[in-house]
Amino acid sequence: MNLSASRISHNYGPLPVLADVSLTVASGEVVAVVGPSGCGKSTLLRILGGLERPDAGAVATEGEPPARSLNPITYVFQDFALLPWRTVAGNVALPLEEHSLPTAERDAIIRDALARTGLSDFAKAWPRQLSGGMKQRVGIARALAVRPAILLMDEPLSALDGQTRELLMDDLVALHAAGDLSTVYVTHNLDEAVRLADRILVLSRRPGRIRAEVRLETPRAERRPADPALAAQARELWDLIREDAAEADRELVA
Amino acid sequence: MSETAAPEAHPVPYRGDLFLPRTRRLAGALALVALIAFWQAASSLGWLDPVMAPSPREVFAALLAMAKSGELAGHLAASLGRLLGGFAIGATAGVGFGLAVGLFSLVRSPGIAVVSALFPIPKIALLPLFILWFGIGEGSKLATIAFGSFFPTVVATYGAVDAVDRSLVRMGRSFGLSSWSIVRKIVLPGALPGILSGLRIASSISIVLLVAAEMIGANRGVGAMVLAAGNLMQSDRLLGGVVVLSVLGLFIAGLLGWIERRLTAWR
Ligand SMILES: Nc1ncnc2c1ncn2[C@@H]1O[C@H](COP(=O)(O)OP(=O)(O)OP(=O)(O)O)[C@@H](O)[C@H]1O
Ligand SMILES: [Mg+2]
């Protein structure tokens, strides 16, 4: 399934946040969106998934979602958004409860999602007992359980420490190795972007518009954390946004 | 620095006391026992006038006598019926209305305006009106208690709903949960701790209103019993009634605490 946004503009009151942003995510593609803080990345992602109505422009999907997809467009949140009163398994079960699945099938889906994210031993744990990395694994397990066609991730690793981030990054690479899962990956971490993306969209500072588009040719599976070529690419990106970032840093927050 | 004298060591003083008192159940029980013992000692030593302030032993004896004759059970049953009935009506309606105020723009401003205007009225002032409407019997007492517990429950409920993390609601929407599922599985559990503390306040207001209503127009009930004992200068029975009310309050608070611990085990 493709996702395409055409000519999205959005304001919060008098504050223009996005100006004329168009993008297309092809089936199986990972598109990273980077840009200085406050440039409207989260807003764009919310608009892409229908959680916010843009002032102008439209978002559309093309093609049918996989037949067994329960929630074609699915989010992974920066702050995890787990229900603290549900166990790990309960949190993964939440979106499944909306669908009348046979209990056995539902349990199998939960078990499979937990297994894929290394959470099998934590099914009965409460979110408060988990480290940040484990919490985000639950967020990812919950997203996988509904078999999404398009994953929208808003800085999924930003709340995590460097080492945990490295571990989860490997998991995300593996997740995209097989299959046709399309992803929009919002981050301000350029290393994450060059590690994971097929294509990187660079937004300008607020109001965000697309300043540049960088295509990464090395296959994802062959990229290594300390790869000098990747580091060079990240440095290039940084040169693109450095001035904007400095400007954005001096701006008053709305 | 000279190499002869080693620098003097100054231990870094501890300054981490954060006023975090610890719970000691035994100390709490001991304080109550000590209070009663002191009271008993004061009576035994003749410091207290036995008519104005009977000793704990006399109060207990009076309670025991009332219990044996079945009088106490009768009063207690009447009071409990009114309390539970009125509180159940007021709390249920309060949670429902509070949810509506917390969730729907249509209800919110009108609801808050009405609640703010009626909340400060001492509800006992409405008892005469309720007697006109519902008669001197149970109806007026139930209405007073229900009305009194309704408002704190509403205020606590919509405050708790407002405080529910909207990013969780957004998560629910993003996974395609129905509105009803979001209310049931996200808003209500998230608001529960706040609702329960509102119910605590409502329950103690209910006891105040119960006693006041029973003093104004009832033959049965703990409040009526206390008033009658006062009129007859039976201070031992009077204080016995007061003890029953204290125990009743403790029991309800304990019950709500137990429910709270059961329902918020995830914390
Ligand atoms: N609901 C809202 N109401 C008003 N202003 C908002 C709202 N949400 C975001 N904004 C403002 O819009 C701008 C863009 O916000 P957004 O969260 O999309 O930026 P971002 O690129 O994700 O930033 P960050 O890097 O900090 O996550 C910011 O200036 C923010 O203060
Ligand atoms: Mg953001």
Side-chain angles (χ1 to χ4, degrees):
Chain A
M1 200 163 82
N2 293 357
L3 182 72
S4 68
S6 59
R7 315 210 60 179
I8 303 284
S9 297
H10 194 65
N11 311 297
Y12 284 118
L15 187 76
V17 176
L18 291 170
D20 206 20
V21 173
S22 299
L23 65 94
T24 305
V25 189
S27 186
E29 193 184 23
V30 179
V31 174
V33 177
V34 301
S37 90
C39 75
K41 304 183 292 293
S42 300
T43 309
L44 176 63
L45 207 64
R46 284 200 295 274
I47 290 173
L48 288 181
L51 289 179
E52 190 128 27
R53 225 182 246 128
D55 288 349
V59 183
T61 58
E62 289 150 26
E64 291 303 307
R68 296 182 342 128
S69 177
L70 299 175
N71 193 48
I73 304 181
T74 297
Y75 282 89
V76 173
F77 298 94
Q78 177 177 2
D79 61 357
F80 321 129
L82 303 180
L83 300 183
W85 49 85
R86 282 185 176 230
T87 60
V88 167
N91 268 286
V92 176
L94 178 77
L96 302 176
E97 292 165 7
E98 290 299 296
H99 305 269
S100 48
L101 300 170
T103 316
E105 187 184 345
R106 182 189 301 173
D107 291 348
I109 295 175
I110 296 171
R111 227 177 306 117
D112 176 55
L114 293 180
R116 284 171 72 184
T117 45
L119 286 168
S120 297
D121 295 339
F122 298 88
K124 294 207 172 72
W126 298 105
R128 69 171 153 79
Q129 300 173 297
L130 302 178
S131 68
M134 282 300 185
K135 283 185 188 147
Q136 193 53 294
R137 285 205 162 86
V138 181
I140 294 170
R142 179 178 59 191
L144 295 181
V146 295
R147 302 196 194 94
I150 296 165
L151 260 190
L152 302 178
M153 305 210 209
D154 192 357
E155 309 202 16
L157 308 186
S158 289
L160 309 179
D161 64 81
Q163 288 148 25
T164 313
R165 192 181 300 184
E166 203 50 59
L167 290 172
L168 269 175
M169 180 52 70
D170 289 340
D171 294 341
L172 290 182
V173 169
L175 186 66
H176 288 94
D180 47 3
L181 184 59
S182 316
T183 296
V184 180
Y185 188 95
V186 165
T187 180
H188 57 233
N189 184 321
L190 303 178
D191 296 323
E192 285 176 21
V194 296
R195 190 68 199 293
L196 197 60
D198 297 304
R199 204 148 49 89
I200 301 174
L201 298 179
V202 182
L203 291 189
S204 68
R205 89 190 147 92
R206 198 179 62 217
R209 40 180 112 236
I210 295 181
R211 277 196 47 175
E213 186 180 324
V214 177
R215 192 172 284 280
L216 295 160
E217 303 297 350
T218 323
R220 211 179 348 268
E222 291 167 21
R223 302 177 198 168
R224 292 288 166 267
D227 190 335
L230 289 187
Q233 228 140 12
R235 232 177 0 257
E236 258 168 56
L237 281 170
W238 174 233
D239 288 338
L240 270 176
I241 65 173
R242 144 177 244 141
E243 265 165 48
D244 270 356
E247 292 273 348
D249 189 39
R250 272 194 289 276
E251 248 161 37
L252 290 177
V253 183
Chain B
M1 276 260 132
S2 85
E3 65 277 14
T4 45
E8 200 184 332
H10 299 284
V12 176
Y14 173 70
R15 42 188 176 168
D17 186 354
L18 304 178
F19 293 117
L20 291 169
R22 262 178 284 172
T23 305
R24 294 205 176 92
R25 284 169 178 283
L26 189 64
L30 276 179
L32 287 180
V33 170
L35 183 70
I36 294 170
F38 178 72
W39 177 10
Q40 179 64 51
S43 298
S44 303
L45 292 170
W47 295 352
L48 296 175
D49 176 349
V51 176
M52 292 301 162
S55 73
R57 195 183 300 145
E58 286 167 310
V59 171
F60 185 69
L63 265 178
L64 209 62
M66 283 191 285
K68 273 195 185 132
S69 70
E71 196 188 347
L72 183 63
H75 290 308
L76 207 54
S79 290
L80 274 179
R82 290 166 188 148
L83 187 68
L84 294 183
F87 180 69
I89 298 169
T92 310
V95 170
F97 191 65
L99 274 179
V101 169
L103 293 174
F104 305 117
S105 309
L106 209 63
V107 189
R108 187 173 185 90
S109 294
I112 290 180
V114 171
V115 167
S116 310
L118 298 183
F119 197 10
I121 300 173
K123 300 303 172 301
I124 198 67
L126 296 175
L127 181 61
L129 184 68
F130 289 147
I131 291 177
L132 284 181
W133 289 355
F134 304 113
I136 187 81
E138 296 305 307
S140 58
K141 295 175 187 63
L142 283 177
T144 308
I145 295 169
F147 213 61
S149 46
F150 175 76
F151 291 99
T153 311
V154 172
V155 172
T157 302
Y158 82 68
V161 171
D162 288 353
V164 169
D165 189 352
R166 286 300 180 270
S167 67
L168 293 181
V169 177
R170 183 178 293 143
M171 179 277 292
R173 290 277 180 223
S174 80
F175 279 98
L177 268 62
S178 68
S179 295
W180 170 234
S181 289
I182 288 176
V183 170
R184 205 158 44 92
K185 296 174 182 173
I186 298 177
V187 174
L188 260 182
L192 194 66
I195 294 176
L196 283 171
S197 62
L199 290 183
R200 269 173 201 282
I201 297 171
S203 73
S204 48
I205 291 178
S206 295
I207 294 182
V208 172
L209 290 174
L210 167 78
V211 173
E214 288 180 340
M215 285 182 163
I216 289 177
N219 315 322
R220 286 176 0 109
V222 180
M225 184 197 93
V226 166
L227 185 72
N231 290 338
L232 299 172
M233 299 250 309
Q234 296 169 330
S235 51
D236 53 347
R237 282 168 56 100
L238 189 159
L239 280 176
V242 171
V243 168
V244 169
L245 291 173
S246 164
V247 171
L248 184 64
L250 281 177
F251 176 74
I252 291 177
L255 192 68
L256 283 171
W258 179 77
I259 293 174
E260 184 167 356
R261 278 193 302 281
R262 297 250 356 219
L263 292 181
T264 58
W266 47 270
R267 286 187 150 205

